[in-house]
């Protein structure tokens, strides 16, 4: 048995910001329910033209579906052909950033 106690510390790193670069995922608010049955409904608030692509990805990383997005405020996608399980909603933005959210198909 060791006589050393674990060392715990909080570290906060602040990087200098730039006014000319804005994160894409801060320009758009996407609302959805992550527990879905057959239909995924996404509501977009903010700059809709920054979304480049949307994918449904399974737990192994395989792309199951590409969702066509044409800058509408509300997007509805039928997912009834997917089996129940955990999937990821992958949003890719035009500035090459991405955002991944977990969804559970029941």
């Amino acid at each position: 048995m060791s006589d050393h106690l674990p060392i715990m510390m909080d570290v906060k790193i602040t990087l200098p910001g730039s006014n000319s670069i804005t994160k894409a995922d801060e320009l758009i608010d996407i609302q959805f329910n992550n527990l879905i049955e057959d239909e995924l409904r996404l509501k977009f608030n903010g700059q809709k033209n920054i979304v480049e692509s949307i994918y449904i990805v399974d737990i192994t990383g395989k792309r199951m579906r590409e969702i066509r997005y044409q800058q509408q405020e509300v997007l509805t996608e039928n997912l009834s052909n997917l089996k129940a399980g955990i999937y990821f909603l992958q949003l890719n933005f035009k500035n090459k950033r991405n955002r991944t959210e977990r969804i559970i198909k029941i």
Side-chain angles (χ1 to χ4, degrees):
M1 184 177 278
S2 173
D3 61 347
H4 294 71
L5 295 174
I7 298 173
M8 307 277 291
M9 59 196 281
D10 292 325
V11 176
K12 182 177 180 180
I13 299 173
T14 305
L15 300 174
S18 170
N19 293 334
S20 62
I21 299 173
T22 306
K23 295 179 184 177
D25 52 350
E26 292 175 356
L27 294 174
I28 190 166
D29 178 37
I30 304 167
Q31 299 172 355
F32 66 100
N33 187 353
N34 68 345
L35 186 63
I36 58 171
E37 287 188 41
D38 290 330
E39 188 174 85
L40 174 66
R41 185 175 184 270
L42 303 171
K43 182 177 179 184
F44 296 87
N45 299 312
Q47 295 185 15
K48 297 165 194 65
N49 63 341
I50 62 173
V51 177
E52 188 172 77
S53 59
I54 303 173
Y55 297 101
I56 301 291
V57 180
D58 72 4
I59 197 83
T60 66
K62 179 180 175 186
R63 285 186 180 165
M64 302 302 290
R65 164 109 32 109
E66 179 177 4
I67 299 175
R68 299 207 181 266
Y69 176 66
Q70 299 172 346
Q71 300 181 15
Q72 61 265 46
E73 186 174 327
V74 177
L75 176 105
T76 304
E77 186 74 15
N78 184 348
L79 300 179
S80 61
N81 64 335
L82 293 179
K83 295 179 182 178
I86 298 173
Y87 295 91
F88 296 96
L89 180 66
Q90 182 182 29
L91 297 115
N92 300 310
F93 300 99
K94 291 183 180 176
N95 69 353
K96 304 304 176 201
R97 293 181 56 90
N98 60 40
R99 177 174 165 185
T100 303
E101 299 286 344
R102 183 182 64 203
I103 56 175
I104 300 172
K105 170 90 167 52
I106 55 174

